[in-house]
Amino acid sequence: MWLRSLFCVAILLSSIVAQNYANDSAVKIFQQYIQINTTSGNDLTPAVNFWLKLATEQGLYTNVYWFTDGYPIVVIKWPGLNSTLGSIMLNSHMDVVPADENDGWTYPPFSGYLDNNSVIWGRGAQDMKSVTIQYYEALKRLKARNITLLRDVYMTLMPDEETGAENGMVPFVASEEFKALNVALELDEGTSYDLPVSPVFYQDKAVWQIRVDCHGVATHGSSFAVLNTTAIGKCSNVINTFLALRDQEYEKSLGADITNSGSYTSINLNKINGGTANNIVPQIISLVFDVRLATTVNETLFEAQLREWIRQAGDNITLTFLQKDSQSPATIVGAANPYWTAFSKAASTKGFIVLPTIPPGSTDARFMRSAGFPAFGFSPMPNTELLLHAVNERLSVKTFLAGIEVYEQIIYNLANLPGEETSVDPSVYLYYTSQ
Ligand SMILES: *[C@@H]1O[C@H](CO)[C@@H](O)[C@H](O)[C@H]1NC(C)=O
Ligand SMILES: *[C@@H]1O[C@H](CO)[C@@H](O)[C@H](O)[C@H]1NC(C)=O
Ligand SMILES: *[C@@H]1O[C@H](CO)[C@@H](O)[C@H](O)[C@H]1NC(C)=O
Ligand SMILES: *[C@@H]1O[C@H](CO)[C@@H](O)[C@H](O)[C@H]1NC(C)=O
Ligand SMILES: *[C@@H]1O[C@H](CO)[C@@H](O)[C@H](O)[C@H]1NC(C)=O
Ligand SMILES: *[C@@H]1O[C@H](CO)[C@@H](O)[C@H](O)[C@H]1NC(C)=O
Ligand SMILES: *[C@@H]1O[C@H](CO)[C@@H](O)[C@H](O)[C@H]1NC(C)=O
Ligand SMILES: *[C@@H]1O[C@H](CO)[C@@H](O)[C@H](O)[C@H]1NC(C)=O
Ligand SMILES: [Zn+2]
């Protein structure tokens, strides 16, 4: 009998808890934000309006910039006491990768569904609508506590992180509008981790996307053209050398520390195009490779090596860079960087164990570092299955709310760093690793 009533109490309690979460204002706006379908390429006006409304509720100054039609960048200013001091830029992106309900989602990807276990479902739950709401809620709570920050804090919301940032972070960082923000430090996205730790990204690998076009003789499908004179023969030579590099680097990756994906170059052949008819030896074959350079790679020498391999693979083969990042510097994660000290102390105060990491993929933060600004990538999601870009992307409310608390402390520490403790030149907190 007592067991049964205990059970009833437990059910009652858990339903009360779920109810409370359903009425939590942070949870509500998180759900609403997920419900706005910001799949890459969609009209972002509803997301922009959503943020302008939230900013207006807090009496904040906002701006929307377009460097390309259809790609709005939202900037929300949370003013501090002294704008002469470098500001803290809290960056996130509005866009999400596609999600199709028919791919096996338990709850629809744009539902923001809160289930009975207090988990919020939907595309963007981890990447990275959660973080944008956490920035906002943390700042709102600091304001409600009447805590004044010394430095200005800006929330910046980008339109196209998932598709290369060509219309977002890239032109923004080069703009006068960005210069006017007087940024000292940027925070950007990190990742979830299925362990009780949170990675903090301090460097990103350079992304090279390379198209190789092999031109060869076109002839009858029944003939034996000398293989090395055909598009297929030439491209197969290219594939062999590039994938031999892949094998070598794969071996390196096996020995790599989990916190340092910068120690190897990844290379994958991700597209093959060509052919006109089933019975014609094709004139052109196109290959697209996705390469992420090890952080120590000398880009000049590496490009020369690729070109040499292509030269050896046969004549009339062209190489085109679809994307070619320069190596970007690393942010100092040690006592020499007061922003790191402030950040890591805030995290540990709130029980977060942070792990300086170079991720295998890359984020918008690399454009900031390349422009001379230190940046940390952090999404507070420890003990959370990695579901960025995955089916059934979701986040527990408990983790989401703990993330707001840690950002409150992080923003407090960073935005109150006295001017005497930091250099006026933010680039002193960066270092280059390519040789
Ligand atoms: C949550 O809000 C709904 C609708 O306003 C209300 O009916 C319900 O009592 C609230 N629940 C709690 C636990 O506050
Ligand atoms: C979300 O937007 C994408 C891209 O436009 C579209 O294909 C998809 O059907 C939309 N999903 C929903 C649920 O509206
Ligand atoms: C969640 O719990 C409520 C109340 O106990 C129940 O009515 C509902 O069916 C449950 N929903 C799911 C999806 O399990
Ligand atoms: C809020 O802070 C300001 C400046 O520090 C102070 O003048 C004011 O009295 C505070 N208001 C409340 C309600 O605490
Ligand atoms: C290379 O291939 C193109 C297209 O097949 C052809 O027009 C051109 O003459 C070729 N050039 C050389 C140097 O073979
Ligand atoms: C074809 O080209 C590859 C790469 O240049 C070379 O190793 C191979 O010997 C060539 N084969 C013939 C038959 O010429
Ligand atoms: C703002 O900070 C600058 C740089 O540290 C300092 O020179 C100035 O006195 C400060 N202004 C105020 C009003 O505190
Ligand atoms: C890369 O190598 C070239 C040629 O050896 C050299 O001139 C250049 O300084 C190197 N770059 C870096 C960043 O070390
Ligand atoms: Zn992201």
Side-chain angles (χ1 to χ4, degrees):
M1 190 63 187
W2 64 269
L3 226 170
R4 194 172 147 183
S5 39
L6 211 70
F7 188 58
C8 288
V9 168
I11 288 180
L12 201 67
L13 273 178
S14 71
S15 78
I16 284 170
V17 167
Q19 284 276 329
N20 279 342
Y21 281 154
N23 284 0
D24 183 294
S25 69
V27 168
K28 270 192 195 160
I29 59 169
F30 183 26
Q31 291 177 287
Q32 286 164 9
Y33 193 27
I34 289 174
Q35 285 158 8
I36 304 172
N37 182 349
T38 56
T39 300
S40 299
N42 279 7
D43 179 11
L44 292 174
T45 307
V48 171
N49 290 339
F50 174 83
W51 280 107
L52 294 184
K53 181 168 171 287
L54 288 176
T56 304
E57 278 172 22
Q58 294 299 311
L60 301 169
Y61 182 71
T62 60
N63 259 316
V64 184
Y65 303 114
W66 287 264
F67 295 92
T68 310
D69 274 354
Y71 293 90
I73 294 171
V74 180
V75 178
I76 305 173
K77 179 175 185 177
W78 298 73
L81 287 178
N82 190 344
S83 295
T84 310
L85 299 171
S87 67
I88 309 300
M89 171 172 164
L90 306 178
N91 187 58
S92 62
H93 59 85
M94 295 182 276
D95 57 319
V96 295
V97 295
D100 189 333
E101 198 167 340
N102 302 320
D103 286 344
W105 285 75
T106 305
Y107 303 106
F110 297 99
S111 65
Y113 185 76
L114 172 62
D115 75 11
N116 284 353
N117 297 318
S118 297
V119 174
I120 293 172
W121 296 66
R123 178 58 82 226
Q126 293 192 13
D127 184 11
M128 63 172 302
K129 289 180 169 174
S130 47
V131 175
T132 321
I133 301 289
Q134 285 165 334
Y135 291 156
Y136 174 80
E137 279 292 322
L139 283 159
K140 185 178 141 187
R141 289 180 193 185
L142 288 166
K143 191 162 174 268
R145 285 162 59 198
N146 199 15
I147 289 172
T148 33
L149 302 173
L150 185 57
R151 294 167 187 254
D152 292 334
V153 176
Y154 292 95
M155 284 176 63
T156 54
L157 289 85
M158 297 296 148
D160 64 340
E161 191 275 342
E162 299 292 0
T163 51
E166 286 302 313
N167 304 298
M169 190 56 113
V170 172
F172 184 63
V173 164
S175 71
E176 287 302 315
E177 289 82 357
F178 169 75
K179 208 176 281 171
L181 305 187
N182 185 27
V183 170
L185 173 80
E186 190 230 23
L187 296 188
D188 213 303
E189 65 191 315
T191 189
S192 49
Y193 220 63
D194 217 350
L195 290 170
V197 294
S198 301
V200 176
F201 299 162
Y202 63 99
Q203 188 176 22
D204 281 296
K205 297 169 78 170
V207 181
W208 284 11
Q209 280 159 1
I210 299 168
R211 198 181 76 221
V212 177
D213 295 315
C214 305
H215 301 266
V217 291
T219 180
H220 195 276
S222 65
S223 64
F224 275 119
V226 175
L227 197 55
N228 276 355
T229 67
T230 67
I232 288 286
K234 294 175 189 183
C235 262
S236 104
N237 290 338
V238 172
I239 292 171
N240 288 341
T241 46
F242 279 36
L243 294 194
L245 172 67
R246 187 184 187 280
D247 289 344
Q248 261 176 41
E249 295 295 321
Y250 171 67
E251 286 302 319
K252 267 193 219 168
S253 78
L254 295 178
D257 192 285
I258 187 144
T259 62
N260 189 8
S261 298
S263 63
Y264 58 87
T265 296
S266 68
I267 175 164
N268 283 297
L269 172 55
N270 293 346
K271 277 190 186 175
I272 303 179
N273 287 301
T276 44
N278 295 346
N279 57 357
I280 298 177
V281 172
Q283 191 170 26
I284 299 179
I285 296 290
S286 262
L287 312 172
V288 177
F289 293 91
D290 183 327
V291 187
R292 313 297 174 103
L293 275 59
T295 50
T296 49
V297 160
N298 178 311
E299 52 201 291
T300 311
L301 297 178
F302 187 62
E303 181 180 344
Q305 175 68 81
L306 296 183
R307 289 192 184 277
E308 175 58 18
W309 284 337
I310 282 172
R311 197 190 60 74
Q312 288 168 7
D315 55 13
N316 220 350
I317 306 176
T318 58
L319 180 154
T320 311
F321 282 100
L322 305 177
Q323 178 160 352
K324 187 176 187 232
D325 294 346
S326 291
Q327 289 281 24
S328 62
T331 304
I332 295 172
V333 280
N337 181 354
Y339 296 106
W340 170 252
T341 306
F343 179 97
S344 55
K345 272 192 185 154
S348 69
T349 300
K350 293 293 172 183
F352 281 75
I353 302 165
V354 292
L355 210 59
T357 295
I358 300 173
S362 60
T363 74
D364 270 355
R366 70 189 188 280
F367 302 116
M368 291 293 302
R369 295 192 198 98
S370 287
F373 301 91
F376 299 126
F378 177 60
S379 298
M381 300 185 289
N383 301 307
T384 300
E385 187 186 348
L386 195 156
L387 292 169
L388 292 90
H389 299 198
V391 169
N392 282 336
E393 185 176 350
R394 61 190 183 274
L395 185 64
S396 89
V397 172
K398 202 168 152 255
T399 305
F400 169 68
L401 296 177
I404 297 173
E405 284 187 30
V406 73
Y407 271 121
E408 250 184 283
Q409 190 68 51
I410 288 170
I411 294 167
Y412 178 86
N413 284 15
L414 290 174
N416 283 319
L417 260 179
E420 307 83 69
E421 289 184 23
T422 59
S423 169
V424 290
D425 174 8
S427 72
V428 304
Y429 303 118
L430 297 169
Y431 61 100
Y432 277 86
T433 54
S434 62
Q435 291 149 2

